[in-house]
Every structure is written in structure tokens, then in C-alpha cells.
Amino acid sequence: QQQVKQSPQSLIVQKGGISIINCAYENTAFDYFPWYQQFPGKGPALLIAIRPDVSEKKEGRFTISFNKSAKQFSLHIMDSQPGDSATYFCAATVTSGTYKYIFGTGTRLKVLA
Amino acid sequence: NAGVTQTPKFQVLKTGQSMTLQCAQDMNHNSMYWYRQDPGMGLRLIYYSASEGTTDKGEVPNGYNVSRLNKREFSLRLESAAPSQTSVYFCASSFSGKQETQYFGPGTRLLVL
């Protein structure tokens, strides 16, 4: 029940295309869903996050879509660029507790020039 | 403002040797975390410290110990390293109770032979 399932494991997209990464969870107590971006040799960094009281959040080319009834959320990268090539992790946590994140297994995105 | 710093950046150990990974943050965060990252496994929580003076086990604590030395520093110790502990280790911190974002350090690559 604590798992966050992430797919696909890897993704190759042409420059200018849309990248979509999906995550699913079971624990309905989760109330904060961040996405982290990690470049090779670096630590993960927060990209965008959403709470379940909204169905969508957009920041520039990055959008989170959230489906509370299906217990799924996804990251959409519009107009994907080679500089977006990185590993993306979704996560979930219960903010009333100890803020422990449960991470997905990651998606390695490669954007071809 | 250095954020989260980790030392060393890379270490090679022989089976049975011990070592301590160091982590420090200068953001006045109350919570700190240790993760390990393995291919296809995402980020898994080893131990965390919700506040100075407290530590708790995460998902994969076996073979590790931690010390929250003060508010800034949180160390991870391997008492008797095993090849299964070959991994990349990340420290993170957050301002739990006020802000959900976890900030990650650059990581320590550990190879156990």
C-alpha cells in the first residue's frame, strides 16, 4: 500500500515532442505529490509538485495531471528539449506525518535533437 | 549558501571495512534523510531524523547506523561493509511542518569490493 508505481522505465522522445510519465499509488492518505528531476552525477531536484485538491498544475513546459479517483498522476513535458534528458522520479507523502517520501522507480528520458 | 553537502564524493571499500558518510545542511532545516539509489529501484529511505535528537528507520535500514550530531549534521555509518551496499547515497533535508520540499545533496558513490 506504500508503493508508488512509475512507468515507463525509459522513454525516448524527439525534440519538440511530448513526454509523458505516469505514476500510480494506493495509499489514499498521500496528500503531496512531487516530481524530481535528476541529471547524471547530480542529486535529485524538485521540478513541480501538486496536492490532490487540484486536477492539474502547470509550470512552463511542465504539467502535472492528477486523477484522484484513479489514484494516478502524470508528468507531461511539452515541447521536449535535449536539455530535458534526465531521470524523473515521482513521489508521494503524507504531510501531516514525518514527511517521508515514497519514490517511484524512476524514468530515464532521452530527448533526441 | 551551500545547501546540502556530502563527503566523500566517492569511496572504495573492501568487504568488512567500516566508514562514515557525512552530510551537512545550512538551511536551518529540522528534518534530514539518508537514501540509497540503485538502478531500477529508485530512491529508498535508509534512515531519517524528523528533528534534532531523533532518528527512525526507513525502508532499508539493515547494515546501517545514523547519528544526528546537531541540527546541521546527519551521518550514516556502515559498520561492516558488504558488496550489497554498493550504491549511490544521497542525503536530503527539509523544513518539515512548514514546507514539503526535500533538498538533496550531490551524493556519495560507494563501491564495496
PDB file of all heavy atoms in Angstrom, chain B residues 40-64:
ATOM      1  N   GLY B  40      17.048   0.852 -11.266  1.00  0.00           N
ATOM      2  CA  GLY B  40      15.750   0.202 -11.306  1.00  0.00           C
ATOM      3  C   GLY B  40      15.009   0.159  -9.991  1.00  0.00           C
ATOM      4  O   GLY B  40      13.891  -0.366  -9.925  1.00  0.00           O
ATOM      5  N   MET B  41      15.622   0.718  -8.926  1.00  0.00           N
ATOM      6  CA  MET B  41      14.988   0.653  -7.604  1.00  0.00           C
ATOM      7  C   MET B  41      14.547   2.019  -7.103  1.00  0.00           C
ATOM      8  O   MET B  41      13.923   2.132  -6.057  1.00  0.00           O
ATOM      9  CB  MET B  41      15.965   0.048  -6.590  1.00  0.00           C
ATOM     10  CG  MET B  41      16.503  -1.308  -6.976  1.00  0.00           C
ATOM     11  SD  MET B  41      15.250  -2.588  -6.830  1.00  0.00           S
ATOM     12  CE  MET B  41      15.202  -2.795  -5.064  1.00  0.00           C
ATOM     13  N   GLY B  42      14.889   3.047  -7.810  1.00  0.00           N
ATOM     14  CA  GLY B  42      14.530   4.380  -7.352  1.00  0.00           C
ATOM     15  C   GLY B  42      15.348   4.793  -6.140  1.00  0.00           C
ATOM     16  O   GLY B  42      16.471   4.332  -5.933  1.00  0.00           O
ATOM     17  N   LEU B  43      14.760   5.638  -5.333  1.00  0.00           N
ATOM     18  CA  LEU B  43      15.397   6.123  -4.106  1.00  0.00           C
ATOM     19  C   LEU B  43      14.708   5.452  -2.928  1.00  0.00           C
ATOM     20  O   LEU B  43      13.497   5.570  -2.759  1.00  0.00           O
ATOM     21  CB  LEU B  43      15.246   7.639  -4.003  1.00  0.00           C
ATOM     22  CG  LEU B  43      16.052   8.435  -5.019  1.00  0.00           C
ATOM     23  CD1 LEU B  43      15.342   9.725  -5.384  1.00  0.00           C
ATOM     24  CD2 LEU B  43      17.430   8.733  -4.459  1.00  0.00           C
ATOM     25  N   ARG B  44      15.480   4.789  -2.114  1.00  0.00           N
ATOM     26  CA  ARG B  44      14.912   4.102  -0.960  1.00  0.00           C
ATOM     27  C   ARG B  44      15.455   4.710   0.326  1.00  0.00           C
ATOM     28  O   ARG B  44      16.662   4.890   0.473  1.00  0.00           O
ATOM     29  CB  ARG B  44      15.228   2.599  -1.035  1.00  0.00           C
ATOM     30  CG  ARG B  44      14.527   1.890  -2.192  1.00  0.00           C
ATOM     31  CD  ARG B  44      14.820   0.404  -2.191  1.00  0.00           C
ATOM     32  NE  ARG B  44      16.227   0.127  -2.487  1.00  0.00           N
ATOM     33  CZ  ARG B  44      16.798  -1.055  -2.346  1.00  0.00           C
ATOM     34  NH1 ARG B  44      16.097  -2.075  -1.894  1.00  0.00           N
ATOM     35  NH2 ARG B  44      18.070  -1.213  -2.659  1.00  0.00           N
ATOM     36  N   LEU B  45      14.554   4.969   1.254  1.00  0.00           N
ATOM     37  CA  LEU B  45      14.909   5.630   2.503  1.00  0.00           C
ATOM     38  C   LEU B  45      15.593   4.652   3.444  1.00  0.00           C
ATOM     39  O   LEU B  45      15.061   3.579   3.736  1.00  0.00           O
ATOM     40  CB  LEU B  45      13.651   6.208   3.140  1.00  0.00           C
ATOM     41  CG  LEU B  45      13.828   7.020   4.413  1.00  0.00           C
ATOM     42  CD1 LEU B  45      14.625   8.298   4.141  1.00  0.00           C
ATOM     43  CD2 LEU B  45      12.472   7.361   5.014  1.00  0.00           C
ATOM     44  N   ILE B  46      16.760   5.040   3.935  1.00  0.00           N
ATOM     45  CA  ILE B  46      17.507   4.187   4.865  1.00  0.00           C
ATOM     46  C   ILE B  46      17.140   4.566   6.305  1.00  0.00           C
ATOM     47  O   ILE B  46      16.687   3.737   7.094  1.00  0.00           O
ATOM     48  CB  ILE B  46      19.022   4.351   4.652  1.00  0.00           C
ATOM     49  CG1 ILE B  46      19.407   4.057   3.200  1.00  0.00           C
ATOM     50  CG2 ILE B  46      19.790   3.416   5.588  1.00  0.00           C
ATOM     51  CD1 ILE B  46      20.838   4.414   2.864  1.00  0.00           C
ATOM     52  N   TYR B  47      17.381   5.802   6.648  1.00  0.00           N
ATOM     53  CA  TYR B  47      17.049   6.360   7.963  1.00  0.00           C
ATOM     54  C   TYR B  47      16.640   7.811   7.767  1.00  0.00           C
ATOM     55  O   TYR B  47      17.010   8.449   6.794  1.00  0.00           O
ATOM     56  CB  TYR B  47      18.278   6.333   8.896  1.00  0.00           C
ATOM     57  CG  TYR B  47      18.443   5.095   9.724  1.00  0.00           C
ATOM     58  CD1 TYR B  47      19.227   4.031   9.275  1.00  0.00           C
ATOM     59  CD2 TYR B  47      17.842   4.975  10.974  1.00  0.00           C
ATOM     60  CE1 TYR B  47      19.401   2.891  10.035  1.00  0.00           C
ATOM     61  CE2 TYR B  47      18.008   3.833  11.755  1.00  0.00           C
ATOM     62  CZ  TYR B  47      18.798   2.790  11.277  1.00  0.00           C
ATOM     63  OH  TYR B  47      18.976   1.672  12.045  1.00  0.00           O
ATOM     64  N   TYR B  48      15.912   8.318   8.743  1.00  0.00           N
ATOM     65  CA  TYR B  48      15.602   9.731   8.728  1.00  0.00           C
ATOM     66  C   TYR B  48      15.608  10.270  10.150  1.00  0.00           C
ATOM     67  O   TYR B  48      15.535   9.503  11.128  1.00  0.00           O
ATOM     68  CB  TYR B  48      14.262  10.007   8.041  1.00  0.00           C
ATOM     69  CG  TYR B  48      13.048   9.488   8.774  1.00  0.00           C
ATOM     70  CD1 TYR B  48      12.259  10.325   9.552  1.00  0.00           C
ATOM     71  CD2 TYR B  48      12.684   8.147   8.676  1.00  0.00           C
ATOM     72  CE1 TYR B  48      11.143   9.853  10.217  1.00  0.00           C
ATOM     73  CE2 TYR B  48      11.570   7.668   9.335  1.00  0.00           C
ATOM     74  CZ  TYR B  48      10.803   8.512  10.102  1.00  0.00           C
ATOM     75  OH  TYR B  48       9.700   8.042  10.760  1.00  0.00           O
ATOM     76  N   SER B  49      15.691  11.597  10.214  1.00  0.00           N
ATOM     77  CA  SER B  49      15.684  12.274  11.506  1.00  0.00           C
ATOM     78  C   SER B  49      14.684  13.414  11.397  1.00  0.00           C
ATOM     79  O   SER B  49      14.926  14.398  10.704  1.00  0.00           O
ATOM     80  CB  SER B  49      17.075  12.820  11.829  1.00  0.00           C
ATOM     81  OG  SER B  49      17.036  13.643  12.982  1.00  0.00           O
ATOM     82  N   ALA B  50      13.545  13.255  12.039  1.00  0.00           N
ATOM     83  CA  ALA B  50      12.486  14.262  11.938  1.00  0.00           C
ATOM     84  C   ALA B  50      12.890  15.569  12.611  1.00  0.00           C
ATOM     85  O   ALA B  50      12.441  16.644  12.216  1.00  0.00           O
ATOM     86  CB  ALA B  50      11.188  13.733  12.520  1.00  0.00           C
ATOM     87  N   SER B  51      13.708  15.471  13.642  1.00  0.00           N
ATOM     88  CA  SER B  51      14.189  16.663  14.329  1.00  0.00           C
ATOM     89  C   SER B  51      15.466  16.302  15.063  1.00  0.00           C
ATOM     90  O   SER B  51      15.798  15.122  15.228  1.00  0.00           O
ATOM     91  CB  SER B  51      13.139  17.185  15.308  1.00  0.00           C
ATOM     92  OG  SER B  51      12.845  16.201  16.273  1.00  0.00           O
ATOM     93  N   GLU B  52      16.170  17.328  15.494  1.00  0.00           N
ATOM     94  CA  GLU B  52      17.425  17.097  16.224  1.00  0.00           C
ATOM     95  C   GLU B  52      17.165  16.205  17.429  1.00  0.00           C
ATOM     96  O   GLU B  52      16.220  16.434  18.188  1.00  0.00           O
ATOM     97  CB  GLU B  52      17.990  18.447  16.669  1.00  0.00           C
ATOM     98  CG  GLU B  52      19.361  18.370  17.283  1.00  0.00           C
ATOM     99  CD  GLU B  52      19.872  19.746  17.674  1.00  0.00           C
ATOM    100  OE1 GLU B  52      19.195  20.749  17.354  1.00  0.00           O
ATOM    101  OE2 GLU B  52      20.934  19.823  18.308  1.00  0.00           O
ATOM    102  N   GLY B  53      17.964  15.161  17.569  1.00  0.00           N
ATOM    103  CA  GLY B  53      17.826  14.270  18.713  1.00  0.00           C
ATOM    104  C   GLY B  53      16.979  13.056  18.464  1.00  0.00           C
ATOM    105  O   GLY B  53      16.875  12.183  19.329  1.00  0.00           O
ATOM    106  N   THR B  54      16.363  12.970  17.278  1.00  0.00           N
ATOM    107  CA  THR B  54      15.535  11.802  16.963  1.00  0.00           C
ATOM    108  C   THR B  54      15.992  11.175  15.654  1.00  0.00           C
ATOM    109  O   THR B  54      16.384  11.877  14.713  1.00  0.00           O
ATOM    110  CB  THR B  54      14.050  12.172  16.836  1.00  0.00           C
ATOM    111  OG1 THR B  54      13.871  12.979  15.669  1.00  0.00           O
ATOM    112  CG2 THR B  54      13.550  12.908  18.047  1.00  0.00           C
ATOM    113  N   THR B  55      15.949   9.845  15.606  1.00  0.00           N
ATOM    114  CA  THR B  55      16.211   9.130  14.362  1.00  0.00           C
ATOM    115  C   THR B  55      15.254   7.951  14.269  1.00  0.00           C
ATOM    116  O   THR B  55      14.859   7.396  15.311  1.00  0.00           O
ATOM    117  CB  THR B  55      17.657   8.615  14.270  1.00  0.00           C
ATOM    118  OG1 THR B  55      17.907   7.717  15.348  1.00  0.00           O
ATOM    119  CG2 THR B  55      18.671   9.756  14.310  1.00  0.00           C
ATOM    120  N   ASP B  56      14.905   7.585  13.041  1.00  0.00           N
ATOM    121  CA  ASP B  56      13.997   6.453  12.832  1.00  0.00           C
ATOM    122  C   ASP B  56      14.389   5.691  11.590  1.00  0.00           C
ATOM    123  O   ASP B  56      14.970   6.268  10.655  1.00  0.00           O
ATOM    124  CB  ASP B  56      12.548   6.939  12.681  1.00  0.00           C
ATOM    125  CG  ASP B  56      11.931   7.269  14.014  1.00  0.00           C
ATOM    126  OD1 ASP B  56      11.714   6.317  14.802  1.00  0.00           O
ATOM    127  OD2 ASP B  56      11.684   8.453  14.265  1.00  0.00           O
ATOM    128  N   LYS B  57      14.048   4.406  11.587  1.00  0.00           N
ATOM    129  CA  LYS B  57      14.362   3.561  10.446  1.00  0.00           C
ATOM    130  C   LYS B  57      13.445   3.881   9.278  1.00  0.00           C
ATOM    131  O   LYS B  57      12.276   4.197   9.449  1.00  0.00           O
ATOM    132  CB  LYS B  57      14.209   2.087  10.830  1.00  0.00           C
ATOM    133  CG  LYS B  57      15.188   1.635  11.891  1.00  0.00           C
ATOM    134  CD  LYS B  57      14.940   0.177  12.255  1.00  0.00           C
ATOM    135  CE  LYS B  57      15.919  -0.280  13.328  1.00  0.00           C
ATOM    136  NZ  LYS B  57      15.692  -1.691  13.723  1.00  0.00           N
ATOM    137  N   GLY B  58      14.029   3.739   8.091  1.00  0.00           N
ATOM    138  CA  GLY B  58      13.258   3.856   6.876  1.00  0.00           C
ATOM    139  C   GLY B  58      12.967   2.479   6.306  1.00  0.00           C
ATOM    140  O   GLY B  58      12.776   1.509   7.049  1.00  0.00           O
ATOM    141  N   GLU B  59      12.987   2.403   4.996  1.00  0.00           N
ATOM    142  CA  GLU B  59      12.617   1.173   4.297  1.00  0.00           C
ATOM    143  C   GLU B  59      13.723   0.112   4.334  1.00  0.00           C
ATOM    144  O   GLU B  59      13.443  -1.079   4.404  1.00  0.00           O
ATOM    145  CB  GLU B  59      12.290   1.526   2.850  1.00  0.00           C
ATOM    146  CG  GLU B  59      11.816   0.384   1.978  1.00  0.00           C
ATOM    147  CD  GLU B  59      11.615   0.818   0.535  1.00  0.00           C
ATOM    148  OE1 GLU B  59      11.723   2.037   0.244  1.00  0.00           O
ATOM    149  OE2 GLU B  59      11.364  -0.051  -0.311  1.00  0.00           O
ATOM    150  N   VAL B  60      15.002   0.549   4.276  1.00  0.00           N
ATOM    151  CA  VAL B  60      16.119  -0.397   4.163  1.00  0.00           C
ATOM    152  C   VAL B  60      17.218  -0.082   5.179  1.00  0.00           C
ATOM    153  O   VAL B  60      18.341   0.248   4.810  1.00  0.00           O
ATOM    154  CB  VAL B  60      16.679  -0.424   2.720  1.00  0.00           C
ATOM    155  CG1 VAL B  60      15.729  -1.115   1.785  1.00  0.00           C
ATOM    156  CG2 VAL B  60      16.997   0.998   2.226  1.00  0.00           C
ATOM    157  N   PRO B  61      16.976  -0.210   6.486  1.00  0.00           N
ATOM    158  CA  PRO B  61      17.954   0.213   7.489  1.00  0.00           C
ATOM    159  C   PRO B  61      19.041  -0.805   7.830  1.00  0.00           C
ATOM    160  O   PRO B  61      20.052  -0.445   8.447  1.00  0.00           O
ATOM    161  CB  PRO B  61      17.080   0.455   8.716  1.00  0.00           C
ATOM    162  CG  PRO B  61      15.975  -0.563   8.563  1.00  0.00           C
ATOM    163  CD  PRO B  61      15.711  -0.644   7.084  1.00  0.00           C
ATOM    164  N   ASN B  62      18.859  -2.068   7.449  1.00  0.00           N
ATOM    165  CA  ASN B  62      19.789  -3.112   7.885  1.00  0.00           C
ATOM    166  C   ASN B  62      21.203  -2.854   7.367  1.00  0.00           C
ATOM    167  O   ASN B  62      21.414  -2.619   6.185  1.00  0.00           O
ATOM    168  CB  ASN B  62      19.302  -4.476   7.412  1.00  0.00           C
ATOM    169  CG  ASN B  62      18.045  -4.904   8.143  1.00  0.00           C
ATOM    170  OD1 ASN B  62      17.689  -4.332   9.180  1.00  0.00           O
ATOM    171  ND2 ASN B  62      17.357  -5.883   7.603  1.00  0.00           N
ATOM    172  N   GLY B  63      22.175  -2.926   8.289  1.00  0.00           N
ATOM    173  CA  GLY B  63      23.574  -2.736   7.940  1.00  0.00           C
ATOM    174  C   GLY B  63      24.056  -1.308   8.091  1.00  0.00           C
ATOM    175  O   GLY B  63      25.213  -1.008   7.814  1.00  0.00           O
ATOM    176  N   TYR B  64      23.159  -0.436   8.547  1.00  0.00           N
ATOM    177  CA  TYR B  64      23.483   0.986   8.685  1.00  0.00           C
ATOM    178  C   TYR B  64      23.132   1.502  10.078  1.00  0.00           C
ATOM    179  O   TYR B  64      22.242   0.986  10.730  1.00  0.00           O
ATOM    180  CB  TYR B  64      22.695   1.832   7.664  1.00  0.00           C
ATOM    181  CG  TYR B  64      22.838   1.413   6.240  1.00  0.00           C
ATOM    182  CD1 TYR B  64      21.905   0.567   5.645  1.00  0.00           C
ATOM    183  CD2 TYR B  64      23.888   1.888   5.457  1.00  0.00           C
ATOM    184  CE1 TYR B  64      22.019   0.182   4.323  1.00  0.00           C
ATOM    185  CE2 TYR B  64      24.009   1.511   4.119  1.00  0.00           C
ATOM    186  CZ  TYR B  64      23.074   0.664   3.577  1.00  0.00           C
ATOM    187  OH  TYR B  64      23.192   0.298   2.253  1.00  0.00           O
TER     188      TYR B  64
END
